Amino acid sequence: MTTLIIPGYRGSDKGHWQRQWLLEDETARLVQQDDWENPVLTQWLHVLEAALAETPGAVLVAHSLGCVLVTHLASRPSAAHVAGALLVAPADAERMAVQDPKFRSFAPLPRQKLGFPSIVVASRDDPYMSFNKAQALSEVWGSGFVDVKNAGHINVESGFGSWPEAHILAGSLRRPRIDLRTRRAA
């Protein structure tokens, strides 16, 4: 099963746990945006949907604004091709849009169940989204929730290079799901 790595604004720099993942896992693929500096939701969605069309059944591993992209994807038909999503340190696109108009297309944050298995990983001292908001959104999205205590934005600056725990969390989304509606009694 393919893992699609979805960085946020400015991409994930060298040494970031997402870049390390790409080096460690030959089945992982980067969803490469044309312009990391000027995010436009419709353009980023198009690139993500094209990647999903090539790798249906992928697990999405998103960081920061990439998490917001995945939550917007959930309302589109291509979401049916998502096996699951690991949403690490989601960014508060609503607050960011007030501070900088380049993020307006990502706001407001979606507030409905995602329709595929997901896990939100949040830090209590993330400067890009309050812990309480991340926890509340995880409930709205129907996501599992992991509290990594005081881990900043879960990036290179906060000490996250290779991060084996992310592989474990994403692996939990790969388990086959049993559709009880199609099972028949013996």
Side-chain angles (χ1 to χ4, degrees):
M1 185 179 291
T2 302
T3 301
L4 292 179
I5 303 293
I6 305 164
Y9 175 59
R10 295 189 172 154
S12 296
D13 295 332
K14 182 179 178 183
H16 190 283
W17 62 268
Q18 285 186 311
R19 294 292 175 168
Q20 291 299 115
W21 189 312
L22 290 164
L23 295 173
E24 297 165 0
D25 180 357
E26 63 187 31
T27 68
R29 183 171 161 223
L30 176 68
V31 176
Q32 177 69 45
Q33 298 296 339
D34 294 330
D35 189 349
W36 292 113
E37 297 290 324
N38 298 293
V40 176
L41 180 60
T42 55
Q43 293 171 0
W44 281 30
L45 276 170
H46 175 74
V47 172
L48 177 54
E49 288 177 318
L52 270 172
E54 293 175 14
T55 56
V59 169
L60 310 181
V61 176
H63 182 256
S64 194
L65 197 62
C67 298
V68 180
L69 174 66
V70 171
T71 63
H72 281 285
L73 173 80
S75 65
R76 299 170 68 90
S78 57
H81 300 293
V82 176
L86 180 61
L87 306 172
V88 179
D92 188 342
E94 294 162 344
R95 190 179 78 208
M96 293 167 64
V98 170
Q99 297 169 348
D100 188 335
K102 78 169 71 178
F103 299 108
R104 282 190 188 142
S105 66
F106 283 80
L109 291 163
R111 286 176 168 78
Q112 72 271 349
K113 293 220 180 286
L114 299 183
F116 44 78
S118 58
I119 299 169
V120 171
V121 180
S123 168
R124 293 177 180 265
D125 61 350
D126 188 337
Y128 295 100
M129 181 178 282
S130 76
F131 180 80
N132 289 339
K133 188 168 187 176
Q135 192 170 36
L137 284 169
S138 75
E139 290 175 20
V140 169
W141 295 335
S143 303
F145 187 78
V146 176
D147 174 357
V148 291
K149 304 296 181 208
N150 296 319
H153 194 48
I154 313 174
N155 57 7
V156 174
E157 290 78 20
S158 53
F160 286 82
S162 182
W163 185 31
E165 292 85 353
H167 293 263
I168 294 167
L169 291 169
S172 73
L173 297 166
R174 297 182 199 290
R175 295 189 181 126
R177 288 176 267 153
I178 299 170
D179 187 346
L180 298 175
R181 295 171 296 179
T182 60
R183 294 189 68 176
R184 297 181 188 260

